[in-house]
Amino acid sequence: MCAVLPPFIAEVTSGCRDIPVILVGAALMAIGPICMVFTVSEFATSAWLVVMSFGEVIWSPRFQALTANLSPEGREGAFLILAYTPQFLVMLPAGWISGLLLDAYCPDCPACRDEATGVFCRVNCSGRNPPRSCGALQQHAPPPPEAQLRCASLLGSGSCLDRDWGALSAGRSCPDSCAACPGWREAYGEGTTLWVWVLIVSLLGPLLLLLVVWASGRLWEKDGVVEGAGECPSIELQPPPVEIGAVEVAFDDVV
């Protein structure tokens, strides 16, 4: 998507200014996590990635073009690096906040993982003919009764065989995720609260961008007041050209 759509998006939005296109793309990318708020599933994850990628395809090329147009001739690369510096700086707190959210609303479930490797105890070793992955492990454990569920991991030490899986015996299925682990869903639901917080934090980006654009517009209006007049003239005012180095850049040339 990111390799094919940019030329088409650029053609469709060629008649639009940079700032509105960037705002639309950023807002679309920010609302992507809403797919995970309604349901946590493979389909919702795919929908989230599609929406997020489509939003990035809209705003990212125009943001780079705007940055390059505002930079002095021959220094576009340095200006692009400076423009993406905030994105680099937020990586550290973003990882820390992600860890806090996961620990609070979507914690790990060691009770359903092998102690040595951390792999889920997803292999059903109950019955008369267990899978081949249970062959070596069955040498260390007596054959269970038909009514008892016995689970193992694909790669592990056999610690899963020593656990009581009575809560899963009715479904005759071993846990392949934390959501399938006994007691996890009752305590944490499906992790939707986590995605509500992700959505809230994600929406802060376009809101802050909109605030910066609004504040910049107010400053330009203030600079455009006619001297001696009590208010701005009724005609549409444009901000004065900005001199960057030896290059004079007008607002209409880049927005």
Side-chain angles (χ1 to χ4, degrees), residues 19 23 26 204-217:
I19 295 298
L23 284 172
L204 290 178
L207 290 178
L208 291 175
L209 180 58
L210 185 62
L211 179 62
V212 170
V213 173
W214 174 81
S216 300

Short mmCIF file of all heavy atoms in Angstrom, two decimals, residues 19 23 26 204-217:
data_model
loop_
_atom_site.label_atom_id
_atom_site.label_comp_id
_atom_site.label_asym_id
_atom_site.label_seq_id
_atom_site.Cartn_x
_atom_site.Cartn_y
_atom_site.Cartn_z
N ILE A 19 -1.21 21.92 4.31
CA ILE A 19 -1.65 21.80 5.70
C ILE A 19 -2.96 21.02 5.84
O ILE A 19 -3.06 20.11 6.66
CB ILE A 19 -1.77 23.20 6.35
CG1 ILE A 19 -0.39 23.86 6.43
CG2 ILE A 19 -2.38 23.09 7.74
CD1 ILE A 19 0.60 23.12 7.28
N LEU A 23 -3.39 17.43 7.85
CA LEU A 23 -4.34 17.27 8.95
C LEU A 23 -5.29 16.09 8.72
O LEU A 23 -5.55 15.30 9.63
CB LEU A 23 -5.14 18.56 9.13
CG LEU A 23 -4.41 19.72 9.81
CD1 LEU A 23 -5.27 20.98 9.74
CD2 LEU A 23 -4.07 19.38 11.24
N ALA A 26 -3.27 12.81 9.09
CA ALA A 26 -2.93 12.55 10.49
C ALA A 26 -4.15 12.11 11.29
O ALA A 26 -4.07 11.22 12.15
CB ALA A 26 -2.31 13.80 11.11
N LEU A 204 -4.26 12.61 20.23
CA LEU A 204 -3.59 13.84 20.68
C LEU A 204 -2.72 14.44 19.59
O LEU A 204 -2.56 15.66 19.52
CB LEU A 204 -2.73 13.54 21.92
CG LEU A 204 -3.48 13.21 23.21
CD1 LEU A 204 -2.49 12.90 24.32
CD2 LEU A 204 -4.39 14.36 23.62
N GLY A 205 -2.17 13.60 18.71
CA GLY A 205 -1.30 14.09 17.65
C GLY A 205 -1.97 15.08 16.72
O GLY A 205 -1.53 16.24 16.60
N PRO A 206 -3.06 14.68 16.03
CA PRO A 206 -3.72 15.65 15.14
C PRO A 206 -4.33 16.83 15.88
O PRO A 206 -4.42 17.94 15.33
CB PRO A 206 -4.79 14.81 14.43
CG PRO A 206 -4.97 13.60 15.27
CD PRO A 206 -3.64 13.34 15.90
N LEU A 207 -4.76 16.62 17.13
CA LEU A 207 -5.32 17.74 17.90
C LEU A 207 -4.24 18.79 18.20
O LEU A 207 -4.49 19.99 18.08
CB LEU A 207 -5.93 17.24 19.20
CG LEU A 207 -7.23 16.43 19.06
CD1 LEU A 207 -7.70 15.94 20.41
CD2 LEU A 207 -8.32 17.25 18.38
N LEU A 208 -3.05 18.34 18.57
CA LEU A 208 -1.95 19.28 18.80
C LEU A 208 -1.54 19.97 17.51
O LEU A 208 -1.24 21.17 17.50
CB LEU A 208 -0.76 18.54 19.42
CG LEU A 208 -0.94 18.05 20.85
CD1 LEU A 208 0.27 17.23 21.29
CD2 LEU A 208 -1.16 19.22 21.81
N LEU A 209 -1.54 19.22 16.41
CA LEU A 209 -1.21 19.82 15.11
C LEU A 209 -2.23 20.88 14.73
O LEU A 209 -1.87 21.96 14.24
CB LEU A 209 -1.15 18.73 14.04
CG LEU A 209 -0.81 19.18 12.62
CD1 LEU A 209 0.53 19.89 12.58
CD2 LEU A 209 -0.82 17.99 11.67
N LEU A 210 -3.51 20.60 14.95
CA LEU A 210 -4.56 21.58 14.67
C LEU A 210 -4.40 22.81 15.54
O LEU A 210 -4.62 23.94 15.09
CB LEU A 210 -5.93 20.93 14.89
CG LEU A 210 -7.15 21.77 14.53
CD1 LEU A 210 -7.15 22.11 13.05
CD2 LEU A 210 -8.43 21.02 14.89
N LEU A 211 -4.01 22.61 16.81
CA LEU A 211 -3.79 23.75 17.71
C LEU A 211 -2.64 24.62 17.22
O LEU A 211 -2.72 25.86 17.26
CB LEU A 211 -3.51 23.23 19.12
CG LEU A 211 -3.25 24.30 20.19
CD1 LEU A 211 -4.48 25.19 20.36
CD2 LEU A 211 -2.88 23.64 21.51
N VAL A 212 -1.57 24.00 16.74
CA VAL A 212 -0.42 24.76 16.23
C VAL A 212 -0.82 25.55 14.99
O VAL A 212 -0.45 26.73 14.85
CB VAL A 212 0.75 23.81 15.92
CG1 VAL A 212 1.85 24.54 15.17
CG2 VAL A 212 1.30 23.21 17.20
N VAL A 213 -1.59 24.94 14.10
CA VAL A 213 -2.03 25.65 12.89
C VAL A 213 -2.93 26.82 13.25
O VAL A 213 -2.81 27.92 12.70
CB VAL A 213 -2.77 24.66 11.95
CG1 VAL A 213 -3.40 25.41 10.78
CG2 VAL A 213 -1.81 23.59 11.44
N TRP A 214 -3.83 26.60 14.22
CA TRP A 214 -4.73 27.69 14.65
C TRP A 214 -3.94 28.83 15.27
O TRP A 214 -4.19 30.01 14.98
CB TRP A 214 -5.75 27.14 15.64
CG TRP A 214 -6.63 28.20 16.24
CD1 TRP A 214 -7.74 28.76 15.69
CD2 TRP A 214 -6.45 28.81 17.53
NE1 TRP A 214 -8.28 29.69 16.55
CE2 TRP A 214 -7.51 29.75 17.68
CE3 TRP A 214 -5.53 28.67 18.54
CZ2 TRP A 214 -7.64 30.51 18.82
CZ3 TRP A 214 -5.65 29.45 19.68
CH2 TRP A 214 -6.70 30.36 19.82
N ALA A 215 -2.96 28.49 16.14
CA ALA A 215 -2.16 29.53 16.79
C ALA A 215 -1.33 30.28 15.76
O ALA A 215 -1.18 31.51 15.85
CB ALA A 215 -1.26 28.89 17.84
N SER A 216 -0.81 29.59 14.76
CA SER A 216 -0.03 30.26 13.71
C SER A 216 -0.91 31.21 12.91
O SER A 216 -0.50 32.32 12.56
CB SER A 216 0.60 29.22 12.79
OG SER A 216 1.45 28.35 13.50
N GLY A 217 -2.15 30.79 12.64
CA GLY A 217 -3.07 31.66 11.92
C GLY A 217 -3.40 32.93 12.68
O GLY A 217 -3.50 34.02 12.10
#
